[in-house]
Amino acid sequence: WMKNEMREGRLIARFWRKSGPNTVSSKYHFLFDWNETCKGTISISCIYWEMQDEFVYTSVDCIRLIEYLVDGQFTQQEKNRVRRNLEEFQPLTLKKHCKDTEEFFVKVMKFFDPKPRNIEKDIKLFKWNTLGKALQKIIGQYTASYSSTTRLMYMRDDMTSNFE
């Protein structure tokens, strides 16, 4: 982590996608220049929650990322379905009015773009190391209704993992 990331308590992960007839490939890396822009990509927050000693992402960021990967915009009903499917990954809940989490809640609310939340309410946080499996599961379910052969390839930096 660089000095700015340590102070803020988050890294920005930039994702790219490549779509084929039956495949969605994604690659990401962490940005150290937050002003860097790149068309055709999406960025989400990798947040360090010191109290839990965990790197986490939010359900809001996950939904935005999935919409980007499938090149579509979900209805509210589809977003709710994604949230229900994410429950399998045992989220930690960041509560607005909880003495133990209020300070961290305020910190997350103050994050600038990419904003890891939409509105000021309880936030579901997921361990960063579950992101690949969450993407595979949800995109697999999403694409199953459109094509039973679509699969997701998820890559970090130069390390590739295929999820079948």
Side-chain angles (χ1 to χ4, degrees):
W1 287 51
M2 304 295 278
K3 190 176 185 179
N4 190 36
E5 289 80 19
M6 289 298 292
R7 185 180 66 252
E8 292 293 323
R10 78 169 174 169
L11 288 170
I12 305 296
R14 171 165 296 146
F15 286 78
W16 292 263
R17 77 161 183 262
K18 182 177 179 183
S19 300
N22 297 315
T23 305
V24 176
S25 300
S26 181
K27 183 177 183 175
Y28 80 94
H29 75 264
F30 291 109
L31 296 178
F32 295 102
D33 177 1
W34 291 3
N35 296 316
E36 180 185 328
T37 59
C38 186
K39 288 190 176 207
T41 65
I42 189 171
S43 297
I44 69 168
S45 297
C46 173
I47 304 165
Y48 180 65
W49 190 357
E50 189 172 1
M51 187 174 92
Q52 296 286 331
D53 193 29
E54 290 287 349
F55 294 93
V56 296
Y57 61 94
T58 67
S59 59
V60 170
D61 270 346
C62 189
I63 290 169
R64 286 181 45 249
L65 178 56
I66 293 167
E67 287 176 324
Y68 166 77
L69 292 173
V70 301
D71 196 21
Q73 192 168 5
F74 292 159
T75 64
Q76 190 60 47
Q77 182 180 0
E78 289 170 318
K79 289 177 183 180
N80 290 339
R81 189 172 349 141
V82 168
R83 285 186 189 95
R84 283 191 304 274
N85 285 319
L86 283 172
E87 289 295 317
E88 172 185 327
F89 299 97
Q90 302 170 345
L92 305 165
T93 302
L94 186 56
K95 295 188 178 285
K96 179 179 181 178
H97 298 292
C98 178
K99 184 178 148 187
D100 293 338
T101 62
E102 189 173 21
E103 183 179 328
F104 189 61
F105 181 90
V106 169
K107 182 177 186 173
V108 171
M109 285 294 127
K110 289 182 179 179
F111 283 150
F112 55 88
D113 289 337
K115 294 180 182 177
R117 78 301 190 260
N118 287 329
I119 59 176
E120 197 166 315
K121 63 175 190 169
D122 293 354
I123 302 171
K124 297 284 186 172
L125 301 172
F126 301 86
K127 294 179 182 178
W128 184 262
N129 64 5
T130 67
L131 183 59
K133 289 180 181 179
L135 293 174
Q136 176 196 13
K137 175 184 176 152
I138 294 165
I139 291 176
Q141 290 178 344
Y142 177 82
T143 58
S145 61
Y146 298 98
S147 168
S148 60
T149 59
T150 301
R151 63 189 174 106
L152 171 69
M153 292 173 55
Y154 175 74
M155 297 174 262
R156 184 200 183 285
D157 297 325
D158 294 325
M159 298 167 44
T160 303
S161 297
N162 289 329
F163 299 103
E164 306 275 345

